[in-house]
Amino acid sequence: MQDIPPDTDARRDFARRFIQALPHCGALNMGVEEVGEGYAILSMPWDDRLVGDPATGVIHGGAVSTLMDTCGGTAVMTHPKGPKTTATLDLRIDYMRAAEPGKAISAKATCYHMTRTVAFVRAVASDGDFDNPVATAAGAFAVTT
Amino acid sequence: MKRRPEPVQVVKERRDRALNALVEGIPYVQFLGISFERHGDELTGVLAYDDKLIGNPALPALHGGVTAAFLETTALIVLSWQSLWDEIEEGRIEAEDLSPDTMPRLPKVIDITVDYLRTGLPRDAYARARVNRSGRRYASVQVEAWQDNRHRPFAQATGHFLMPPAPAA
């Protein structure tokens, strides 16, 4: 992976290219909303293929996890320390409530600490307001610098 | 008088019908290409490889989210199957009447912790879950996924689930 560009627009382009290069993220139509230093907001539009409970039409937790995992990886890659690669070591996901059927899901992730080998990430997912989350996550990512 | 055991095909057909009703009604499980093999009451989740499951194309490796979803789905189905199995075998539910529309409600995931042990390779993956505790309200389930070698899992997880309310008698 190349060095992270210094200005915001370039960083967003970098994140967009990073996401677009991941086939499964393309399959889920994930998009980049916002990127900062060790910080990212991604979104995923509503899709009936992602329904996990046919009785309620609620999206499957796995799809929300995938969005938060990707968002966590993006936050790691945009960290000022500029890691070359990253991979999830572990991820704990807490599901607060069902996402409202028909609504897009957004995830916000922060890489709040990075050593030479490990990055620590927190993430939150919501169908509207991040203060009213659908799920939260905490994870450790392996990095090569 | 002792009842004659039912013919094996009848028993198998009833059990497989119930399992299909459980799994085929979930769109996301179909989207990922997850199916279940049944030996008696034991289930093995099978994630059929597809290019759209790739996260990092440079390695290439399965997306970590796909791995998490596969583990979560296997845990959820195994947990649901365990209670459904008892209901059917004890004759409280008729497998013939089961369809995605008439299925008992699924448990809800409270939390899940996923350990990524190795890279998920671009090929089929398998998973088995063990229900460590299943109470009236909460359940704790452990699940493990592997590819080529059963004894070298590439991911494992522990999840907690909220059980659906028991149907009114």
PDB file of all heavy atoms in Angstrom, chain A residues 21-24 49 51-52 54 56 60 66 69-70 88-91 93-95, chain B residues 25-28 31 52 54-55 57 63 65-66 72-73 105 110-112 114 116:
ATOM      1  N   ALA A  21     -11.178  -1.643  -4.153  1.00  0.00           N
ATOM      2  CA  ALA A  21     -10.326  -2.780  -4.519  1.00  0.00           C
ATOM      3  C   ALA A  21     -10.755  -4.061  -3.809  1.00  0.00           C
ATOM      4  O   ALA A  21     -10.255  -5.135  -4.109  1.00  0.00           O
ATOM      5  CB  ALA A  21      -8.876  -2.459  -4.177  1.00  0.00           C
ATOM      6  N   LEU A  22     -11.697  -3.952  -2.848  1.00  0.00           N
ATOM      7  CA  LEU A  22     -12.123  -5.120  -2.085  1.00  0.00           C
ATOM      8  C   LEU A  22     -13.426  -5.676  -2.676  1.00  0.00           C
ATOM      9  O   LEU A  22     -14.471  -5.055  -2.530  1.00  0.00           O
ATOM     10  CB  LEU A  22     -12.326  -4.749  -0.609  1.00  0.00           C
ATOM     11  CG  LEU A  22     -11.202  -3.937   0.072  1.00  0.00           C
ATOM     12  CD1 LEU A  22     -11.566  -3.631   1.517  1.00  0.00           C
ATOM     13  CD2 LEU A  22      -9.868  -4.655   0.006  1.00  0.00           C
ATOM     14  N   PRO A  23     -13.370  -6.828  -3.352  1.00  0.00           N
ATOM     15  CA  PRO A  23     -14.546  -7.336  -4.071  1.00  0.00           C
ATOM     16  C   PRO A  23     -15.815  -7.444  -3.211  1.00  0.00           C
ATOM     17  O   PRO A  23     -16.890  -7.073  -3.668  1.00  0.00           O
ATOM     18  CB  PRO A  23     -14.100  -8.719  -4.551  1.00  0.00           C
ATOM     19  CG  PRO A  23     -12.614  -8.632  -4.638  1.00  0.00           C
ATOM     20  CD  PRO A  23     -12.201  -7.700  -3.539  1.00  0.00           C
ATOM     21  N   HIS A  24     -15.674  -7.910  -1.980  1.00  0.00           N
ATOM     22  CA  HIS A  24     -16.886  -8.097  -1.175  1.00  0.00           C
ATOM     23  C   HIS A  24     -17.541  -6.761  -0.826  1.00  0.00           C
ATOM     24  O   HIS A  24     -18.764  -6.680  -0.674  1.00  0.00           O
ATOM     25  CB  HIS A  24     -16.580  -8.886   0.101  1.00  0.00           C
ATOM     26  CG  HIS A  24     -17.821  -9.310   0.823  1.00  0.00           C
ATOM     27  ND1 HIS A  24     -18.748 -10.173   0.251  1.00  0.00           N
ATOM     28  CD2 HIS A  24     -18.330  -8.977   2.025  1.00  0.00           C
ATOM     29  CE1 HIS A  24     -19.755 -10.338   1.105  1.00  0.00           C
ATOM     30  NE2 HIS A  24     -19.517  -9.629   2.185  1.00  0.00           N
ATOM     31  N   ARG A  49     -31.218  -8.398  -0.188  1.00  0.00           N
ATOM     32  CA  ARG A  49     -30.385  -9.620  -0.130  1.00  0.00           C
ATOM     33  C   ARG A  49     -29.717  -9.764   1.237  1.00  0.00           C
ATOM     34  O   ARG A  49     -29.200 -10.818   1.581  1.00  0.00           O
ATOM     35  CB  ARG A  49     -29.276  -9.563  -1.188  1.00  0.00           C
ATOM     36  CG  ARG A  49     -29.753  -9.594  -2.624  1.00  0.00           C
ATOM     37  CD  ARG A  49     -28.575  -9.421  -3.560  1.00  0.00           C
ATOM     38  NE  ARG A  49     -27.782  -8.229  -3.230  1.00  0.00           N
ATOM     39  CZ  ARG A  49     -26.580  -7.953  -3.736  1.00  0.00           C
ATOM     40  NH1 ARG A  49     -26.032  -8.776  -4.603  1.00  0.00           N
ATOM     41  NH2 ARG A  49     -25.932  -6.853  -3.377  1.00  0.00           N
ATOM     42  N   VAL A  51     -31.133  -9.233   4.238  1.00  0.00           N
ATOM     43  CA  VAL A  51     -32.083  -9.471   5.330  1.00  0.00           C
ATOM     44  C   VAL A  51     -31.714 -10.751   6.078  1.00  0.00           C
ATOM     45  O   VAL A  51     -31.409 -11.773   5.471  1.00  0.00           O
ATOM     46  CB  VAL A  51     -33.530  -9.528   4.786  1.00  0.00           C
ATOM     47  CG1 VAL A  51     -34.485 -10.095   5.833  1.00  0.00           C
ATOM     48  CG2 VAL A  51     -33.979  -8.145   4.352  1.00  0.00           C
ATOM     49  N   GLY A  52     -31.727 -10.669   7.401  1.00  0.00           N
ATOM     50  CA  GLY A  52     -31.354 -11.810   8.235  1.00  0.00           C
ATOM     51  C   GLY A  52     -32.536 -12.468   8.902  1.00  0.00           C
ATOM     52  O   GLY A  52     -32.494 -13.638   9.262  1.00  0.00           O
ATOM     53  N   PRO A  54     -36.438 -12.985   8.077  1.00  0.00           N
ATOM     54  CA  PRO A  54     -37.495 -12.724   7.102  1.00  0.00           C
ATOM     55  C   PRO A  54     -38.804 -12.284   7.758  1.00  0.00           C
ATOM     56  O   PRO A  54     -39.606 -11.590   7.121  1.00  0.00           O
ATOM     57  CB  PRO A  54     -37.669 -14.065   6.378  1.00  0.00           C
ATOM     58  CG  PRO A  54     -37.002 -15.086   7.223  1.00  0.00           C
ATOM     59  CD  PRO A  54     -35.970 -14.376   8.053  1.00  0.00           C
ATOM     60  N   THR A  56     -39.186 -10.133  10.136  1.00  0.00           N
ATOM     61  CA  THR A  56     -39.200  -8.708  10.457  1.00  0.00           C
ATOM     62  C   THR A  56     -38.584  -7.848   9.358  1.00  0.00           C
ATOM     63  O   THR A  56     -38.754  -6.634   9.348  1.00  0.00           O
ATOM     64  CB  THR A  56     -38.388  -8.447  11.748  1.00  0.00           C
ATOM     65  OG1 THR A  56     -37.060  -8.966  11.551  1.00  0.00           O
ATOM     66  CG2 THR A  56     -39.012  -9.126  12.944  1.00  0.00           C
ATOM     67  N   HIS A  60     -29.203  -8.569   8.446  1.00  0.00           N
ATOM     68  CA  HIS A  60     -28.422  -9.556   9.196  1.00  0.00           C
ATOM     69  C   HIS A  60     -27.237  -8.880   9.893  1.00  0.00           C
ATOM     70  O   HIS A  60     -26.592  -8.006   9.298  1.00  0.00           O
ATOM     71  CB  HIS A  60     -27.907 -10.622   8.232  1.00  0.00           C
ATOM     72  CG  HIS A  60     -27.381 -11.858   8.902  1.00  0.00           C
ATOM     73  ND1 HIS A  60     -26.152 -11.888   9.518  1.00  0.00           N
ATOM     74  CD2 HIS A  60     -27.913 -13.091   9.058  1.00  0.00           C
ATOM     75  CE1 HIS A  60     -25.959 -13.110  10.019  1.00  0.00           C
ATOM     76  NE2 HIS A  60     -27.017 -13.848   9.742  1.00  0.00           N
ATOM     77  N   THR A  66     -19.569  -6.726   8.770  1.00  0.00           N
ATOM     78  CA  THR A  66     -18.694  -6.551   7.610  1.00  0.00           C
ATOM     79  C   THR A  66     -18.418  -5.072   7.364  1.00  0.00           C
ATOM     80  O   THR A  66     -17.283  -4.674   7.105  1.00  0.00           O
ATOM     81  CB  THR A  66     -19.330  -7.188   6.359  1.00  0.00           C
ATOM     82  OG1 THR A  66     -19.574  -8.567   6.640  1.00  0.00           O
ATOM     83  CG2 THR A  66     -18.423  -7.085   5.163  1.00  0.00           C
ATOM     84  N   ASP A  69     -16.088  -3.875  10.197  1.00  0.00           N
ATOM     85  CA  ASP A  69     -14.743  -4.432  10.003  1.00  0.00           C
ATOM     86  C   ASP A  69     -14.000  -3.640   8.917  1.00  0.00           C
ATOM     87  O   ASP A  69     -12.843  -3.235   9.101  1.00  0.00           O
ATOM     88  CB  ASP A  69     -14.866  -5.915   9.628  1.00  0.00           C
ATOM     89  CG  ASP A  69     -13.512  -6.591   9.430  1.00  0.00           C
ATOM     90  OD1 ASP A  69     -12.582  -6.290  10.186  1.00  0.00           O
ATOM     91  OD2 ASP A  69     -13.393  -7.432   8.519  1.00  0.00           O
ATOM     92  N   THR A  70     -14.686  -3.397   7.801  1.00  0.00           N
ATOM     93  CA  THR A  70     -14.080  -2.645   6.694  1.00  0.00           C
ATOM     94  C   THR A  70     -13.759  -1.214   7.130  1.00  0.00           C
ATOM     95  O   THR A  70     -12.696  -0.674   6.812  1.00  0.00           O
ATOM     96  CB  THR A  70     -15.051  -2.591   5.485  1.00  0.00           C
ATOM     97  OG1 THR A  70     -15.496  -3.908   5.203  1.00  0.00           O
ATOM     98  CG2 THR A  70     -14.372  -2.008   4.258  1.00  0.00           C
ATOM     99  N   THR A  88      -7.536  -7.954  10.328  1.00  0.00           N
ATOM    100  CA  THR A  88      -8.212  -8.020  11.622  1.00  0.00           C
ATOM    101  C   THR A  88      -7.664  -9.188  12.448  1.00  0.00           C
ATOM    102  O   THR A  88      -7.549 -10.294  11.954  1.00  0.00           O
ATOM    103  CB  THR A  88      -9.733  -8.206  11.426  1.00  0.00           C
ATOM    104  OG1 THR A  88     -10.154  -7.417  10.326  1.00  0.00           O
ATOM    105  CG2 THR A  88     -10.494  -7.811  12.667  1.00  0.00           C
ATOM    106  N   LEU A  89      -7.306  -8.879  13.707  1.00  0.00           N
ATOM    107  CA  LEU A  89      -6.880  -9.936  14.642  1.00  0.00           C
ATOM    108  C   LEU A  89      -8.087 -10.465  15.415  1.00  0.00           C
ATOM    109  O   LEU A  89      -8.288 -11.657  15.543  1.00  0.00           O
ATOM    110  CB  LEU A  89      -5.883  -9.378  15.653  1.00  0.00           C
ATOM    111  CG  LEU A  89      -4.406  -9.369  15.306  1.00  0.00           C
ATOM    112  CD1 LEU A  89      -3.630  -8.739  16.457  1.00  0.00           C
ATOM    113  CD2 LEU A  89      -3.903 -10.773  15.047  1.00  0.00           C
ATOM    114  N   ASP A  90      -8.854  -9.526  15.992  1.00  0.00           N
ATOM    115  CA  ASP A  90     -10.100  -9.910  16.651  1.00  0.00           C
ATOM    116  C   ASP A  90     -11.058  -8.742  16.621  1.00  0.00           C
ATOM    117  O   ASP A  90     -10.657  -7.586  16.491  1.00  0.00           O
ATOM    118  CB  ASP A  90      -9.844 -10.402  18.077  1.00  0.00           C
ATOM    119  CG  ASP A  90      -9.600  -9.285  19.057  1.00  0.00           C
ATOM    120  OD1 ASP A  90     -10.496  -8.440  19.230  1.00  0.00           O
ATOM    121  OD2 ASP A  90      -8.522  -9.250  19.654  1.00  0.00           O
ATOM    122  N   LEU A  91     -12.321  -9.093  16.686  1.00  0.00           N
ATOM    123  CA  LEU A  91     -13.360  -8.063  16.633  1.00  0.00           C
ATOM    124  C   LEU A  91     -14.510  -8.513  17.517  1.00  0.00           C
ATOM    125  O   LEU A  91     -15.026  -9.620  17.354  1.00  0.00           O
ATOM    126  CB  LEU A  91     -13.836  -7.888  15.185  1.00  0.00           C
ATOM    127  CG  LEU A  91     -14.689  -6.662  14.874  1.00  0.00           C
ATOM    128  CD1 LEU A  91     -13.890  -5.368  15.022  1.00  0.00           C
ATOM    129  CD2 LEU A  91     -15.248  -6.747  13.460  1.00  0.00           C
ATOM    130  N   ILE A  93     -18.328  -7.566  18.575  1.00  0.00           N
ATOM    131  CA  ILE A  93     -19.452  -6.754  18.118  1.00  0.00           C
ATOM    132  C   ILE A  93     -20.602  -6.893  19.103  1.00  0.00           C
ATOM    133  O   ILE A  93     -20.969  -8.010  19.481  1.00  0.00           O
ATOM    134  CB  ILE A  93     -19.917  -7.186  16.714  1.00  0.00           C
ATOM    135  CG1 ILE A  93     -18.752  -7.087  15.731  1.00  0.00           C
ATOM    136  CG2 ILE A  93     -21.056  -6.306  16.216  1.00  0.00           C
ATOM    137  CD1 ILE A  93     -18.603  -8.268  14.868  1.00  0.00           C
ATOM    138  N   ASP A  94     -21.163  -5.764  19.525  1.00  0.00           N
ATOM    139  CA  ASP A  94     -22.341  -5.739  20.391  1.00  0.00           C
ATOM    140  C   ASP A  94     -23.510  -5.214  19.571  1.00  0.00           C
ATOM    141  O   ASP A  94     -23.389  -4.154  18.950  1.00  0.00           O
ATOM    142  CB  ASP A  94     -22.105  -4.812  21.592  1.00  0.00           C
ATOM    143  CG  ASP A  94     -21.042  -5.353  22.526  1.00  0.00           C
ATOM    144  OD1 ASP A  94     -21.245  -6.444  23.064  1.00  0.00           O
ATOM    145  OD2 ASP A  94     -19.998  -4.684  22.694  1.00  0.00           O
ATOM    146  N   TYR A  95     -24.595  -5.958  19.580  1.00  0.00           N
ATOM    147  CA  TYR A  95     -25.777  -5.526  18.831  1.00  0.00           C
ATOM    148  C   TYR A  95     -26.791  -4.911  19.794  1.00  0.00           C
ATOM    149  O   TYR A  95     -27.350  -5.601  20.641  1.00  0.00           O
ATOM    150  CB  TYR A  95     -26.414  -6.715  18.109  1.00  0.00           C
ATOM    151  CG  TYR A  95     -25.509  -7.313  17.053  1.00  0.00           C
ATOM    152  CD1 TYR A  95     -24.826  -8.504  17.283  1.00  0.00           C
ATOM    153  CD2 TYR A  95     -25.344  -6.688  15.829  1.00  0.00           C
ATOM    154  CE1 TYR A  95     -24.004  -9.054  16.312  1.00  0.00           C
ATOM    155  CE2 TYR A  95     -24.515  -7.234  14.853  1.00  0.00           C
ATOM    156  CZ  TYR A  95     -23.856  -8.418  15.102  1.00  0.00           C
ATOM    157  OH  TYR A  95     -23.040  -8.967  14.150  1.00  0.00           O
TER     158      TYR A  95
ATOM    159  N   GLY B  25     -35.130 -19.633   4.241  1.00  0.00           N
ATOM    160  CA  GLY B  25     -35.923 -18.415   4.356  1.00  0.00           C
ATOM    161  C   GLY B  25     -35.087 -17.178   4.641  1.00  0.00           C
ATOM    162  O   GLY B  25     -35.613 -16.075   4.664  1.00  0.00           O
ATOM    163  N   ILE B  26     -33.767 -17.343   4.864  1.00  0.00           N
ATOM    164  CA  ILE B  26     -32.944 -16.191   5.259  1.00  0.00           C
ATOM    165  C   ILE B  26     -32.163 -15.669   4.056  1.00  0.00           C
ATOM    166  O   ILE B  26     -31.187 -16.289   3.623  1.00  0.00           O
ATOM    167  CB  ILE B  26     -31.976 -16.574   6.406  1.00  0.00           C
ATOM    168  CG1 ILE B  26     -32.754 -17.206   7.570  1.00  0.00           C
ATOM    169  CG2 ILE B  26     -31.176 -15.360   6.869  1.00  0.00           C
ATOM    170  CD1 ILE B  26     -31.881 -17.746   8.688  1.00  0.00           C
ATOM    171  N   PRO B  27     -32.574 -14.521   3.489  1.00  0.00           N
ATOM    172  CA  PRO B  27     -31.935 -14.024   2.256  1.00  0.00           C
ATOM    173  C   PRO B  27     -30.417 -13.884   2.363  1.00  0.00           C
ATOM    174  O   PRO B  27     -29.689 -14.279   1.443  1.00  0.00           O
ATOM    175  CB  PRO B  27     -32.593 -12.653   2.044  1.00  0.00           C
ATOM    176  CG  PRO B  27     -33.907 -12.758   2.732  1.00  0.00           C
ATOM    177  CD  PRO B  27     -33.688 -13.655   3.914  1.00  0.00           C
ATOM    178  N   TYR B  28     -29.915 -13.332   3.470  1.00  0.00           N
ATOM    179  CA  TYR B  28     -28.472 -13.071   3.595  1.00  0.00           C
ATOM    180  C   TYR B  28     -27.658 -14.367   3.589  1.00  0.00           C
ATOM    181  O   TYR B  28     -26.540 -14.402   3.083  1.00  0.00           O
ATOM    182  CB  TYR B  28     -28.205 -12.281   4.877  1.00  0.00           C
ATOM    183  CG  TYR B  28     -26.766 -11.869   5.085  1.00  0.00           C
ATOM    184  CD1 TYR B  28     -26.164 -10.933   4.242  1.00  0.00           C
ATOM    185  CD2 TYR B  28     -26.010 -12.406   6.120  1.00  0.00           C
ATOM    186  CE1 TYR B  28     -24.850 -10.554   4.436  1.00  0.00           C
ATOM    187  CE2 TYR B  28     -24.691 -12.013   6.317  1.00  0.00           C
ATOM    188  CZ  TYR B  28     -24.120 -11.092   5.473  1.00  0.00           C
ATOM    189  OH  TYR B  28     -22.814 -10.712   5.663  1.00  0.00           O
ATOM    190  N   PHE B  31     -27.428 -15.267   0.060  1.00  0.00           N
ATOM    191  CA  PHE B  31     -26.520 -14.322  -0.612  1.00  0.00           C
ATOM    192  C   PHE B  31     -25.062 -14.734  -0.409  1.00  0.00           C
ATOM    193  O   PHE B  31     -24.254 -14.714  -1.344  1.00  0.00           O
ATOM    194  CB  PHE B  31     -26.772 -12.909  -0.064  1.00  0.00           C
ATOM    195  CG  PHE B  31     -25.741 -11.882  -0.462  1.00  0.00           C
ATOM    196  CD1 PHE B  31     -25.628 -11.454  -1.785  1.00  0.00           C
ATOM    197  CD2 PHE B  31     -24.884 -11.322   0.492  1.00  0.00           C
ATOM    198  CE1 PHE B  31     -24.676 -10.499  -2.151  1.00  0.00           C
ATOM    199  CE2 PHE B  31     -23.932 -10.374   0.129  1.00  0.00           C
ATOM    200  CZ  PHE B  31     -23.834  -9.964  -1.193  1.00  0.00           C
ATOM    201  N   LYS B  52     -16.964 -13.097  -4.964  1.00  0.00           N
ATOM    202  CA  LYS B  52     -17.509 -11.905  -4.293  1.00  0.00           C
ATOM    203  C   LYS B  52     -17.269 -11.928  -2.778  1.00  0.00           C
ATOM    204  O   LYS B  52     -17.527 -10.945  -2.097  1.00  0.00           O
ATOM    205  CB  LYS B  52     -18.998 -11.756  -4.590  1.00  0.00           C
ATOM    206  CG  LYS B  52     -19.916 -12.733  -3.873  1.00  0.00           C
ATOM    207  CD  LYS B  52     -21.371 -12.251  -3.967  1.00  0.00           C
ATOM    208  CE  LYS B  52     -22.302 -13.100  -3.146  1.00  0.00           C
ATOM    209  NZ  LYS B  52     -22.639 -14.405  -3.701  1.00  0.00           N
ATOM    210  N   ILE B  54     -14.304 -12.268  -1.429  1.00  0.00           N
ATOM    211  CA  ILE B  54     -12.921 -11.850  -1.199  1.00  0.00           C
ATOM    212  C   ILE B  54     -12.861 -10.442  -0.611  1.00  0.00           C
ATOM    213  O   ILE B  54     -13.563  -9.535  -1.050  1.00  0.00           O
ATOM    214  CB  ILE B  54     -12.120 -11.912  -2.532  1.00  0.00           C
ATOM    215  CG1 ILE B  54     -11.895 -13.368  -2.945  1.00  0.00           C
ATOM    216  CG2 ILE B  54     -10.785 -11.170  -2.433  1.00  0.00           C
ATOM    217  CD1 ILE B  54     -11.011 -14.162  -2.003  1.00  0.00           C
ATOM    218  N   GLY B  55     -12.022 -10.277   0.415  1.00  0.00           N
ATOM    219  CA  GLY B  55     -11.753  -8.950   0.962  1.00  0.00           C
ATOM    220  C   GLY B  55     -10.516  -8.403   0.297  1.00  0.00           C
ATOM    221  O   GLY B  55     -10.585  -7.569  -0.598  1.00  0.00           O
ATOM    222  N   PRO B  57      -7.818  -8.624  -2.320  1.00  0.00           N
ATOM    223  CA  PRO B  57      -7.585  -9.366  -3.563  1.00  0.00           C
ATOM    224  C   PRO B  57      -6.103  -9.661  -3.788  1.00  0.00           C
ATOM    225  O   PRO B  57      -5.760 -10.514  -4.603  1.00  0.00           O
ATOM    226  CB  PRO B  57      -8.117  -8.425  -4.647  1.00  0.00           C
ATOM    227  CG  PRO B  57      -8.045  -7.063  -4.042  1.00  0.00           C
ATOM    228  CD  PRO B  57      -8.111  -7.210  -2.551  1.00  0.00           C
ATOM    229  N   HIS B  63     -13.056 -11.980   3.028  1.00  0.00           N
ATOM    230  CA  HIS B  63     -13.271 -10.772   3.829  1.00  0.00           C
ATOM    231  C   HIS B  63     -13.554 -11.180   5.279  1.00  0.00           C
ATOM    232  O   HIS B  63     -14.317 -12.118   5.517  1.00  0.00           O
ATOM    233  CB  HIS B  63     -14.460  -9.994   3.256  1.00  0.00           C
ATOM    234  CG  HIS B  63     -14.557  -8.590   3.789  1.00  0.00           C
ATOM    235  ND1 HIS B  63     -14.814  -8.326   5.116  1.00  0.00           N
ATOM    236  CD2 HIS B  63     -14.413  -7.389   3.187  1.00  0.00           C
ATOM    237  CE1 HIS B  63     -14.835  -7.012   5.292  1.00  0.00           C
ATOM    238  NE2 HIS B  63     -14.597  -6.420   4.139  1.00  0.00           N
ATOM    239  N   GLY B  65     -15.314  -9.814   7.410  1.00  0.00           N
ATOM    240  CA  GLY B  65     -16.744  -9.685   7.698  1.00  0.00           C
ATOM    241  C   GLY B  65     -17.516 -10.923   7.263  1.00  0.00           C
ATOM    242  O   GLY B  65     -18.467 -11.337   7.920  1.00  0.00           O
ATOM    243  N   VAL B  66     -17.096 -11.513   6.145  1.00  0.00           N
ATOM    244  CA  VAL B  66     -17.731 -12.746   5.654  1.00  0.00           C
ATOM    245  C   VAL B  66     -17.484 -13.869   6.656  1.00  0.00           C
ATOM    246  O   VAL B  66     -18.396 -14.623   7.008  1.00  0.00           O
ATOM    247  CB  VAL B  66     -17.182 -13.133   4.261  1.00  0.00           C
ATOM    248  CG1 VAL B  66     -17.651 -14.519   3.856  1.00  0.00           C
ATOM    249  CG2 VAL B  66     -17.592 -12.096   3.223  1.00  0.00           C
ATOM    250  N   GLU B  72     -21.282 -16.386  12.794  1.00  0.00           N
ATOM    251  CA  GLU B  72     -22.515 -15.952  13.461  1.00  0.00           C
ATOM    252  C   GLU B  72     -23.714 -16.765  12.963  1.00  0.00           C
ATOM    253  O   GLU B  72     -24.556 -17.209  13.753  1.00  0.00           O
ATOM    254  CB  GLU B  72     -22.725 -14.456  13.211  1.00  0.00           C
ATOM    255  CG  GLU B  72     -23.933 -13.901  13.938  1.00  0.00           C
ATOM    256  CD  GLU B  72     -24.198 -12.439  13.615  1.00  0.00           C
ATOM    257  OE1 GLU B  72     -23.248 -11.637  13.641  1.00  0.00           O
ATOM    258  OE2 GLU B  72     -25.358 -12.107  13.333  1.00  0.00           O
ATOM    259  N   THR B  73     -23.782 -16.958  11.649  1.00  0.00           N
ATOM    260  CA  THR B  73     -24.888 -17.707  11.058  1.00  0.00           C
ATOM    261  C   THR B  73     -24.880 -19.157  11.529  1.00  0.00           C
ATOM    262  O   THR B  73     -25.930 -19.712  11.885  1.00  0.00           O
ATOM    263  CB  THR B  73     -24.795 -17.657   9.517  1.00  0.00           C
ATOM    264  OG1 THR B  73     -24.898 -16.294   9.114  1.00  0.00           O
ATOM    265  CG2 THR B  73     -25.890 -18.465   8.862  1.00  0.00           C
ATOM    266  N   ARG B 105     -39.717 -18.065  15.815  1.00  0.00           N
ATOM    267  CA  ARG B 105     -38.831 -16.910  15.733  1.00  0.00           C
ATOM    268  C   ARG B 105     -37.386 -17.322  16.025  1.00  0.00           C
ATOM    269  O   ARG B 105     -37.130 -18.219  16.816  1.00  0.00           O
ATOM    270  CB  ARG B 105     -39.264 -15.830  16.740  1.00  0.00           C
ATOM    271  CG  ARG B 105     -40.632 -15.242  16.451  1.00  0.00           C
ATOM    272  CD  ARG B 105     -40.672 -14.540  15.120  1.00  0.00           C
ATOM    273  NE  ARG B 105     -39.613 -13.541  15.004  1.00  0.00           N
ATOM    274  CZ  ARG B 105     -39.726 -12.299  15.449  1.00  0.00           C
ATOM    275  NH1 ARG B 105     -40.809 -11.886  16.038  1.00  0.00           N
ATOM    276  NH2 ARG B 105     -38.729 -11.454  15.287  1.00  0.00           N
ATOM    277  N   ILE B 110     -26.765 -11.053  20.786  1.00  0.00           N
ATOM    278  CA  ILE B 110     -26.482  -9.960  21.723  1.00  0.00           C
ATOM    279  C   ILE B 110     -25.075  -9.433  21.443  1.00  0.00           C
ATOM    280  O   ILE B 110     -24.859  -8.245  21.258  1.00  0.00           O
ATOM    281  CB  ILE B 110     -26.582 -10.448  23.191  1.00  0.00           C
ATOM    282  CG1 ILE B 110     -27.985 -10.977  23.477  1.00  0.00           C
ATOM    283  CG2 ILE B 110     -26.199  -9.320  24.153  1.00  0.00           C
ATOM    284  CD1 ILE B 110     -28.088 -11.730  24.804  1.00  0.00           C
ATOM    285  N   ASP B 111     -24.111 -10.350  21.404  1.00  0.00           N
ATOM    286  CA  ASP B 111     -22.737  -9.967  21.077  1.00  0.00           C
ATOM    287  C   ASP B 111     -21.992 -11.173  20.532  1.00  0.00           C
ATOM    288  O   ASP B 111     -22.389 -12.314  20.777  1.00  0.00           O
ATOM    289  CB  ASP B 111     -22.003  -9.389  22.304  1.00  0.00           C
ATOM    290  CG  ASP B 111     -21.900 -10.400  23.428  1.00  0.00           C
ATOM    291  OD1 ASP B 111     -21.276 -11.461  23.236  1.00  0.00           O
ATOM    292  OD2 ASP B 111     -22.444 -10.128  24.511  1.00  0.00           O
ATOM    293  N   ILE B 112     -20.933 -10.904  19.786  1.00  0.00           N
ATOM    294  CA  ILE B 112     -20.094 -11.986  19.274  1.00  0.00           C
ATOM    295  C   ILE B 112     -18.652 -11.482  19.212  1.00  0.00           C
ATOM    296  O   ILE B 112     -18.405 -10.322  18.854  1.00  0.00           O
ATOM    297  CB  ILE B 112     -20.603 -12.519  17.918  1.00  0.00           C
ATOM    298  CG1 ILE B 112     -19.774 -13.736  17.442  1.00  0.00           C
ATOM    299  CG2 ILE B 112     -20.644 -11.440  16.849  1.00  0.00           C
ATOM    300  CD1 ILE B 112     -20.485 -14.601  16.432  1.00  0.00           C
ATOM    301  N   VAL B 114     -15.012 -12.404  17.611  1.00  0.00           N
ATOM    302  CA  VAL B 114     -14.403 -13.233  16.571  1.00  0.00           C
ATOM    303  C   VAL B 114     -12.882 -13.154  16.669  1.00  0.00           C
ATOM    304  O   VAL B 114     -12.319 -12.063  16.755  1.00  0.00           O
ATOM    305  CB  VAL B 114     -14.855 -12.761  15.167  1.00  0.00           C
ATOM    306  CG1 VAL B 114     -14.270 -13.665  14.088  1.00  0.00           C
ATOM    307  CG2 VAL B 114     -16.369 -12.733  15.067  1.00  0.00           C
ATOM    308  N   TYR B 116      -9.527 -14.027  14.609  1.00  0.00           N
ATOM    309  CA  TYR B 116      -9.032 -14.405  13.288  1.00  0.00           C
ATOM    310  C   TYR B 116      -7.674 -15.081  13.473  1.00  0.00           C
ATOM    311  O   TYR B 116      -6.706 -14.435  13.867  1.00  0.00           O
ATOM    312  CB  TYR B 116      -8.918 -13.167  12.396  1.00  0.00           C
ATOM    313  CG  TYR B 116     -10.265 -12.543  12.123  1.00  0.00           C
ATOM    314  CD1 TYR B 116     -10.758 -11.513  12.921  1.00  0.00           C
ATOM    315  CD2 TYR B 116     -11.054 -12.994  11.082  1.00  0.00           C
ATOM    316  CE1 TYR B 116     -12.003 -10.943  12.671  1.00  0.00           C
ATOM    317  CE2 TYR B 116     -12.298 -12.443  10.827  1.00  0.00           C
ATOM    318  CZ  TYR B 116     -12.766 -11.417  11.627  1.00  0.00           C
ATOM    319  OH  TYR B 116     -14.001 -10.871  11.380  1.00  0.00           O
TER     320      TYR B 116
END
